[in-house]
């Protein structure tokens, strides 16, 4: 797992392909913000040679719950005040569980004003080595983006409106599927066997759970 947090600041660079990337989040455009942020993730992953991420309902639930909890309870951390970890939230949402082999990660951020746009958020994450490695990790396939209006910390009454983000990433397959894949890989030799084993562990879409 890779877990990274950042409070955002820094310049934004324009994207050629993602609509609404410079949109300031409001209660009326949250879905546009979410779509833009997923688009920006896939833009960066394609540039890095990694597979595109697909939205996953269960990761959306885990990420959304955490973003709103941080704002409601005024803390900024991957672990909730009750001690629940990102993995615990993904388990509670049903993304991981018994009989599942998985890999997962999370990034969190909050920002205000012009730094709260999808483009500014992505640029800040990509400027940090640890966040960048999480965003472009080749073994992730699924994404959930949680967005909550407000800051996870106490601020002055006149401060600019803030937004808090949680992004969860994952890959999963069944134990049965993984074992079968590794048995097939063991029949190969050399570099081809290594390539097949890598695919078994999530470096390709082969064997992924669809729901």
């Amino acid at each position: 797992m890779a877990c990274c947090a950042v409070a955002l600041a820094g310049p934004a660079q324009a994207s050629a392909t993602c609509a609404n990337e410079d949109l300031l989040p409001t209660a009326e455009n949250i879905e546009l913000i979410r779509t833009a942020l997923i688009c920006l993730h896939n833009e960066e992953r394609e540039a890095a040679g990694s597979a595109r991420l697909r939205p996953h309902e269960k990761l959306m639930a885990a990420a959304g719950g955490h973003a709103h909890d941080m704002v409601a309870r005024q803390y900024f951390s991957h672990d909730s005040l009750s001690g629940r970890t990102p993995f615990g939230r993904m388990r509670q949402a049903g993304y991981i569980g018994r009989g599942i082999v998985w890999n997962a990660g999370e990034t969190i951020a909050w920002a205000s004003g012009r730094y709260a746009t999808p483009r500014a958020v992505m640029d800040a994450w990509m400027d940090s080595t640890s966040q960048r490695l999480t965003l472009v990790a080749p073994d992730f396939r699924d994404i959930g983006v949680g967005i909550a209006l407000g800051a996870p910390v106490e601020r002055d009454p006149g401060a600019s409106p803030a937004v808090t983000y949680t992004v969860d990433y994952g890959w999963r397959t069944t134990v049965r599927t993984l074992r079968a894949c590794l048995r097939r890989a063991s029949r190969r030799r050399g570099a081809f066997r290594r390539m097949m084993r890598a695919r078994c562990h999530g470096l390709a879409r082969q064997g992924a759970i669809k729901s």
Side-chain angles (χ1 to χ4, degrees):
M1 169 184 136
C3 277
C4 309
V6 63
L8 302 176
Q13 302 298 320
S15 162
T17 60
C18 296
N20 302 307
E21 62 176 28
D22 294 320
L23 196 62
L24 289 171
T26 68
E28 290 74 32
N29 66 15
I30 292 296
E31 288 307 316
L32 295 178
I33 299 296
R34 193 188 324 276
T35 299
L37 196 55
I38 293 173
C39 176
L40 289 167
H41 271 82
N42 284 328
E43 187 179 72
E44 296 293 352
R45 290 177 64 83
E46 287 181 356
S50 298
R52 293 173 62 86
L53 299 172
R54 57 198 176 195
H56 197 289
E57 181 180 359
K58 293 173 181 177
L59 286 183
M60 291 289 186
H66 188 55
H68 284 88
D69 189 58
M70 286 193 291
V71 172
R73 302 172 69 186
Q74 294 287 277
Y75 70 96
F76 186 61
S77 172
H78 291 287
D79 293 350
S80 70
L81 294 183
S82 60
R84 191 177 296 277
T85 66
F87 295 156
R89 293 190 293 273
M90 293 177 197
R91 190 177 301 277
Q92 184 180 40
Y95 183 75
I96 60 178
R98 181 173 297 179
I100 302 296
V101 179
W102 52 271
N103 187 18
E106 180 176 275
T107 56
I108 62 176
W110 77 270
S112 62
R114 63 190 179 92
Y115 298 120
T117 67
R119 179 74 265 174
V121 170
M122 180 58 65
D123 285 345
W125 275 332
M126 291 299 292
D127 283 343
S128 168
T129 299
S130 57
Q131 279 91 341
R132 182 173 65 253
L133 291 176
T134 301
L135 290 169
V136 301
D139 47 346
F140 292 146
R141 288 294 177 274
D142 303 322
I143 187 172
V145 177
I147 305 168
L149 298 180
V153 297
E154 185 175 351
R155 305 174 74 220
D156 294 335
S160 300
V163 183
T164 299
Y165 293 90
T166 297
V167 182
D168 286 340
Y169 312 89
W171 164 84
R172 63 180 190 162
T173 190
T174 64
V175 172
R176 181 177 180 179
T177 297
L178 178 60
R179 287 175 176 171
C181 185
L182 291 174
R183 282 197 298 271
R184 291 193 296 271
S186 68
R187 302 187 188 114
R188 304 292 183 168
R189 294 184 178 180
F192 195 64
R193 178 168 64 183
R194 291 192 296 271
M195 180 187 70
M196 288 188 65
R197 286 179 63 88
R199 288 178 175 173
C200 293
H201 287 284
L203 293 174
R205 293 183 182 277
Q206 177 179 321
I209 296 175
K210 300 302 181 184
S211 62

